[in-house]
Amino acid sequence: MKQLENIEQYETYKQKETVFLFTADWCPDCRVIEPGLPEIEAKFTQFEFVSVDRDQFIDLAIEEGVMGIPSFLVYKAGERVGDYIGKERKTIEQIDAFLSRF
């Protein structure tokens, strides 16, 4: 999974088919799903997967309405087509089901 380095990069990725994962090092629920994410990336090859450190990009998280982590945003051609936002623990199966809609 790629790591977001700056806002300009975020704007570029938004123009593609991208899944943004908002996360943080201290987030225990984020660590729980971490081992299953390569499987998700391998299944949904139409997307680029980009990890966004919520603490490093707090203004972006606020702008995007990300109030809990882990959260997922899906963009296609500059348009946000879906999101899975919330502070609740997510399973790999739930993430798979969410991404299967696209």
Side-chain angles (χ1 to χ4, degrees), residues 47-70:
F47 292 112
E48 289 199 55
F49 286 81
V50 179
S51 178
V52 180
D53 183 314
R54 202 268 334 239
D55 293 339
Q56 184 180 353
F57 294 97
I58 190 70
D59 291 339
L60 177 61
I62 292 167
E63 180 181 312
E64 291 286 18
V66 174
M67 300 312 219
I69 54 174

Side-chain angles (χ1 to χ4, degrees), residues 11-27:
E11 294 302 322
T12 300
Y13 281 127
K14 280 174 42 176
Q15 300 308 314
K16 304 174 183 181
E17 292 190 31
T18 306
V19 174
F20 294 101
L21 164 59
F22 282 77
T23 185
D25 289 341
W26 53 263
C27 169

Side-chain angles (χ1 to χ4, degrees), residues 32-87:
V32 167
I33 63 170
E34 209 168 67
L37 292 176
E39 171 188 325
I40 293 290
E41 287 185 82
K43 180 174 180 179
F44 297 96
T45 57
Q46 72 271 33
F47 292 112
E48 289 199 55
F49 286 81
V50 179
S51 178
V52 180
D53 183 314
R54 202 268 334 239
D55 293 339
Q56 184 180 353
F57 294 97
I58 190 70
D59 291 339
L60 177 61
I62 292 167
E63 180 181 312
E64 291 286 18
V66 174
M67 300 312 219
I69 54 174
S71 287
F72 296 83
L73 305 182
V74 180
Y75 273 88
K76 289 185 178 184
E79 182 178 337
R80 184 164 157 180
V81 296
D83 54 57
Y84 190 10
I85 296 175
K87 63 181 178 178

